[in-house]
Amino acid sequence: KKGKLRQDRKDRLNAIEFTWEFKHRCGNRKKLSATNDVKWNRSYAELVRYRNAHGHCEVMRRGRDLFLGTWVMRQRATCKKGKLRQDRKDRLNAIEFTWEFKHRCGNRKKLSATNDVKWNRSYAELVRYRNAHGHCEVMRRGRDLFLGTWVMRQRATCKKGKLRQ
């Protein structure tokens, strides 16, 4: 099920000394917040360009739109939790942002198998990272953005206590 980390996966992560708690080393929160505003504005501008080109804001997370699609999904999730700043919500509403988006995939069994393949691929990438760097504390930036995001998701899923058997 979505949002649950299976026990066999947790065991595999533990086998490579996966770090479940990660503390960011940045001490300047004000600077970090300003940086986040710059990044948000950059992604928003990219979404505006996408909307102008395609006529909608329903960005799929694949191919060259992977990053933008992930950002769009994050805006929906943040809003759903009631944590999206009003000024950002207003700006998204101004470009007719789609708050509810339904994926058009009907074959759940195939989707589950695909998720297993993707998880195993990300796990193998993490093992390579650990072999190269000696740890599993992957930062979400540069070429490690997607692996770092996957690692963060594994920590969050485990922290919620949602392990799949």
Side-chain angles (χ1 to χ4, degrees):
K1 287 187 170 187
K2 187 176 180 179
K4 293 189 176 187
L5 184 61
R6 292 188 338 215
Q7 184 63 46
D8 65 312
R9 291 178 175 179
K10 184 178 180 187
D11 293 343
R12 288 173 67 190
L13 290 168
N14 284 333
I16 62 167
E17 300 172 12
F18 185 78
T19 308
W20 291 104
E21 292 295 325
F22 180 71
K23 295 183 176 41
H24 196 277
R25 294 179 184 94
C26 179
N28 189 341
R29 289 288 169 211
K30 195 170 193 176
K31 182 179 178 186
L32 186 61
S33 178
T35 303
N36 286 342
D37 283 344
V38 169
K39 289 179 181 178
W40 194 93
N41 288 330
R42 195 175 299 144
S43 296
Y44 176 80
E46 189 177 339
L47 179 62
V48 169
R49 283 190 295 277
Y50 182 95
R51 188 189 186 296
N52 290 339
H54 300 280
H56 61 79
C57 296
E58 297 177 5
V59 186
M60 298 298 290
R61 293 186 311 153
R62 67 174 89 146
R64 68 175 198 219
D65 294 326
L66 179 64
F67 179 80
L68 182 61
T70 300
W71 183 84
V72 164
M73 182 190 72
R74 197 176 315 120
Q75 302 316 299
R76 289 185 183 115
T78 303
C79 184
K80 190 173 184 177
K81 292 177 186 175
K83 294 183 178 182
L84 185 63
R85 290 182 2 204
Q86 188 61 47
D87 62 314
R88 291 179 174 180
K89 189 173 181 179
D90 293 342
R91 289 177 69 190
L92 289 167
N93 283 333
I95 60 167
E96 298 174 356
F97 186 78
T98 309
W99 292 104
E100 293 292 325
F101 179 67
K102 307 267 191 272
H103 194 276
R104 295 173 184 93
C105 179
N107 191 339
R108 287 292 168 206
K109 197 170 197 175
K110 182 179 179 184
L111 187 61
S112 178
T114 302
N115 286 341
D116 283 343
V117 169
K118 288 179 182 178
W119 194 95
N120 287 327
R121 194 177 300 141
S122 295
Y123 174 79
E125 188 177 341
L126 179 61
V127 170
R128 285 191 295 276
Y129 182 94
R130 185 188 184 284
N131 291 339
H133 300 280
H135 60 80
C136 296
E137 296 179 8
V138 185
M139 297 298 291
R140 292 186 320 149
R141 67 176 128 190
R143 67 180 190 182
D144 295 327
L145 175 67
F146 300 110
L147 180 60
T149 301
W150 182 84
V151 165
M152 181 187 73
R153 197 175 314 121
Q154 303 314 301
R155 287 189 183 108
T157 301
C158 184
K159 192 172 188 175
K160 291 177 186 176
K162 294 183 176 183
L163 294 175
R164 280 179 36 193
Q165 299 299 325

